[in-house]
Amino acid sequence: MPNARDVARYFISKSEESTSKAVTPLKLQKLVYYAQGWYLAIHRDRLFRENLLAWDHGPVVRILYDDYKRHGYYTIPSEPFVNQNEYGDTIFDADELEVLNDVWEAYGDFDGKYLEEMTHQEDPWLFTARNSIIDIDLIREYFIENLYVVN
């Protein structure tokens, strides 16, 4: 199973500085959240194991916050993504890559603040106490019910 850092690295590889496709730490967190939600809705299973937390600015994976907070509001420099781990094993299978690509197509042109506002309208964040773990079943059910509304 991929981890949240793998998902983040995939989206960072898509970043284009000084365009609508630039990925900031805020935007990255929301893309990772949407990837988890879409994958849960389509495949009924997690894309990655790390928990999402309901922070003031929307859903956050804590380890990604720690990894990228030094960038503040600025674009995270793009780095090529290789779909192999250090042992030469494939990170994402075809289904996982399809979801990641679909999430990028759906949300890649939006900035972090816009995506933050979107998450603030959605049940998983709305119905979770601030700084608490967002229940994975709440994410799954929300996206099962709403995925095709945004797609």
Side-chain angles (χ1 to χ4, degrees):
M1 173 181 283
N3 62 46
R5 283 181 165 147
D6 296 323
V7 176
R9 286 186 307 106
Y10 173 84
F11 287 128
I12 290 167
S13 77
K14 300 287 192 181
S15 181
E16 297 174 22
E17 194 167 347
S18 301
T19 72
S20 64
K21 298 208 181 287
V23 175
T24 62
L26 181 63
K27 181 174 180 173
L28 179 64
Q29 292 285 356
K30 304 319 162 236
L31 291 170
V32 169
Y33 161 74
Y34 283 117
Q36 183 78 297
W38 282 40
Y39 197 81
L40 284 163
I42 295 166
H43 298 285
R44 305 301 196 262
D45 198 7
R46 290 174 180 251
L47 176 60
F48 55 87
R49 284 194 178 93
E50 292 85 354
N51 289 316
L52 287 147
L53 305 172
W55 283 13
D56 287 340
H57 295 285
V60 169
V61 174
R62 177 62 198 235
I63 196 165
L64 297 180
Y65 174 80
D66 293 337
D67 287 350
Y68 297 104
K69 67 183 174 184
R70 70 184 180 280
H71 296 285
Y73 294 104
Y74 297 104
T75 302
I76 301 167
S78 181
E79 294 182 15
F81 178 79
V82 178
N83 193 24
Q84 287 184 331
N85 65 21
E86 63 270 19
Y87 308 108
D89 299 324
T90 301
I91 297 170
F92 297 114
D93 65 25
D95 290 337
E96 293 162 344
L97 282 173
E98 182 176 14
V99 169
L100 294 176
N101 285 321
D102 288 347
V103 167
W104 181 254
E105 286 300 312
Y107 304 106
D109 283 320
F110 298 129
D111 68 20
K113 290 305 282 182
Y114 183 84
L115 294 174
E116 175 185 336
E117 288 302 315
M118 286 178 55
T119 66
H120 286 190
Q121 312 291 321
E122 298 170 354
D123 291 356
W125 185 84
L126 285 170
F127 296 133
T128 303
R130 295 298 72 88
N131 303 317
S132 297
I133 294 171
I134 303 172
D135 184 84
I136 200 71
D137 293 326
L138 182 58
I139 298 171
R140 180 184 294 110
E141 291 309 311
Y142 176 80
F143 279 91
I144 286 170
E145 293 173 14
N146 294 283
L147 176 60
Y148 299 102
V149 173
V150 298
N151 196 1

